[in-house]
Amino acid sequence: MSQLLLCGQTLEITGNPMRAPHGDVCRHDPRGGVLIEDGRIAALGDAAALRAAHPDAEVVDLGDALILPGFVDAHAHFAQTRIIASWGKRLIDWLNSYTFPEEMRFADPSYAAGIAEAYFDLTLAQGTTTVCSYGTVHPESVDAYFEAARARGLRALCGKTCMDRNAPDGLRDDAQTAHDQSAALLARWHGVDRLSYVITPRFSPTSTRAQLEAMGALYAAHPDCLMQTHLSEQTDEIAWVAELFPETRDYLDTYERAGLLGPTALFGHAIHLTARERDRMAEVGAALVHCPTSNTFIGSGLFDMGGLAGTHRIGLATDTGGGSSFSMLRTMAAAYEVAQLGGRPLHPSELLWLATRGSAEALHLGDRIGTLAVGMEADLVALDLGSTPAIAQRAARASDIWEAVFPTIMMGDDRAVAGVWVAGARVVGTA
Ligand code: GUN
Ligand code: ZN
């Protein structure tokens, strides 16, 4: 069996630094090694000791680069790749002006395939090895995403975005077709290679009660599937939901009544929450997905990381293309800045945890990806901690790994990504 040994700095985050002192749950090795065999991490430890113990392993010496688990983006819309950074609109106008016209194009399978390829090229270059994405209403968009992910050997998640009202002709399904097309895609893709299907009603304004209930029935029939949707992103969206669903207690209740609230549910944004919504999601163990560049870019609001991190399952995400970046480094920087506005400076260990293990746990994949640990799938990124003159001059003053990595978190981009491995195979950078 051939073995690959990556040598560099390593950082193991063994527990949640939001809930334990980072010194207790993080282990940094300035000359560490990651031994990969058969697509998984086979050993971790001192590089010299691993070299001695595995003399036949192919060695890739990454110098001072920091080897981490590949980044995990817990909420994105790959179909919005071409409309990222579109100017001047808030959520509902942004959807109508930019998003829906672009999503129409995915009726053409060759367009969908081209964007899926471009999307994975962009995200892998940023060190992201798993994305949980929305498709469009077209089943072909989900096929395109999974085919591109499968060809690259990626662990990837996606679902057909279901909408049966308040969306233009050509982007609407109905309760029955949403159910049946989702069920067919689930049967085709869920559990194939490293792929997972995610039941995906877009959000309550674009689904009738009947459609949410049909999605709830599908979710109940497939308890091993995740469900993803949007929740309480903007205040006028919340007011609209109250008008559309006068019988409900709050926005979360529109999902809860339809059977869409469960421990494997993912709620993107979750900014403007009532006390009941917060308590209920903690009680159920549902995940909240923080999308900080999107929340500032579309003008949505500030996620309450300080108030939620101790009690809720939280993932981190770009929300491309409402989010203004494909980069999880940029996303961590935005999470830091937003939390600062809430009086809670996030430690680099917390930011890195959110972008790796936190998101993996939100996706219920924490036993496979998101951590440097023996047995985990070898999806890895190596970061150059001095990738630009501005970063290098700051990192040169660092007195520990946290000071060394923080300038890259705050100022880094794809130039910091020295290498990316998917199931042990290098896909970015050269030896
Ligand atoms: N709410 C419903 N759909 C979307 C979307 O595509 N992006 C964002 N940011 N919010 C949404
Ligand atoms: Zn979204």
Side-chain angles (χ1 to χ4, degrees), residues 159-181:
K160 168 192 139 79
T161 294
C162 300
M163 299 197 273
D164 67 345
R165 64 168 160 175
N166 296 319
D169 287 349
L171 274 191
R172 290 190 312 274
D173 48 19
D174 59 38
Q176 193 65 48
T177 54
H179 175 280
D180 295 351
Q181 291 177 344

Side-chain angles (χ1 to χ4, degrees), residues 76 89 105 136 141 144 151 164 214 234-235 237 240 244 275 281 297 305 321 326 380 403:
K89 305 284 184 192
R105 294 173 179 252
T136 66
S141 70
D164 67 345
Q234 293 208 341
T235 48
E237 169 206 9
W240 191 22
L244 292 169
M281 284 191 283
F297 182 77
M305 185 65 83
F326 295 96
L380 304 167
E403 269 195 73

